[in-house]
Amino acid sequence: MILGNILTLISYIIYWLASFFKSKKTIMWVRLISYVIAVPAYIVLQSKSGTLNMLFTIVRYLLGILLIDKLTKKSAKVSYILVFSLIYAVTGVFSFEGFGTMFLIVSNIIGVIALAVGSAQFLRVLNMISSVLFLVYLGTIYNFTGLLCELVTLISFVVTFMLYRKKAK
């Protein structure tokens, strides 16, 4: 349990750093590193749904980094969103660990949309919504370090959103 929380903290520190980058692609690369570190945290915390969803998130981010800018047709981006949304929904059904799993699924689907559509600023907005849902999920698996870290993450999303909104004006 302690190791899972330590790994969670390390993952979140890296994730927080991602919020302060200007480029969407850089944000995605740094987050990918944080997700790789999060996998063993969920394994140690014995969260089957968290582990599976994080593994799919790693695949989604890799594909997103490598392909999303090349997917210029709207239909290709819609396909990307539908495929990964379906994967998260099916994974959630098969790894269902209670009501909290539903928050995890919706949080991840919002993440899919954020990655495929829009700018870094749009990514921040959808990540704020996703973060609130993820807070609920973390509470259901008793990941207290994750709860505290996700709260800080939500605050960092708000701060960076405001920071870059002011720069855009």
Side-chain angles (χ1 to χ4, degrees):
M1 185 77 109
I2 293 172
L3 177 61
N5 281 281
I6 291 169
L7 290 170
T8 297
L9 180 61
I10 293 167
S11 173
Y12 268 101
I13 289 169
I14 294 168
Y15 189 88
W16 294 330
L17 293 173
S19 298
F20 292 94
F21 288 99
K22 195 172 187 175
S23 154
K24 183 177 177 180
K25 195 159 262 192
T26 305
I27 291 170
M28 292 166 60
W29 274 113
V30 176
R31 283 189 181 168
L32 180 64
I33 294 166
S34 78
Y35 295 146
V36 169
I37 294 169
V39 170
Y42 284 109
I43 291 170
V44 170
L45 292 168
Q46 299 177 352
S47 174
K48 190 173 39 171
S49 59
T51 303
L52 287 173
N53 277 286
M54 197 54 63
L55 289 170
F56 286 122
T57 299
I58 290 168
V59 171
R60 174 173 58 94
Y61 260 71
L62 277 172
L63 288 174
I65 290 166
L66 300 173
L67 298 177
I68 214 67
D69 291 336
K70 294 177 178 88
L71 299 178
T72 54
K73 291 184 179 178
K74 187 177 180 180
S75 61
K77 287 188 180 188
V78 169
S79 297
Y80 175 86
I81 291 169
L82 290 175
V83 166
F84 276 99
S85 295
L86 183 62
I87 288 170
Y88 282 120
V90 169
T91 300
V93 168
F94 286 109
S95 65
F96 192 79
E97 297 172 317
F99 187 66
T101 303
M102 300 309 294
F103 289 94
L104 177 64
I105 293 167
V106 174
S107 174
N108 280 316
I109 290 171
I110 291 170
V112 170
I113 295 166
L115 193 64
V117 181
S119 64
Q121 193 70 335
F122 185 72
L123 181 68
R124 289 182 186 97
V125 169
L126 288 183
N127 280 327
M128 285 186 258
I129 297 166
S130 179
S131 183
V132 171
L133 296 169
F134 198 58
L135 277 166
V136 175
Y137 168 71
L138 289 168
T140 66
I141 65 166
Y142 306 106
N143 186 340
F144 301 114
T145 302
L147 278 168
L148 180 61
C149 291
E150 190 65 27
L151 187 59
V152 172
T153 299
L154 180 57
I155 292 167
S156 77
F157 286 149
V158 172
V159 168
T160 55
F161 173 78
M162 299 302 284
L163 177 73
Y164 284 107
R165 189 176 83 173
K166 286 180 182 179
K167 286 183 179 181
K169 287 183 178 181

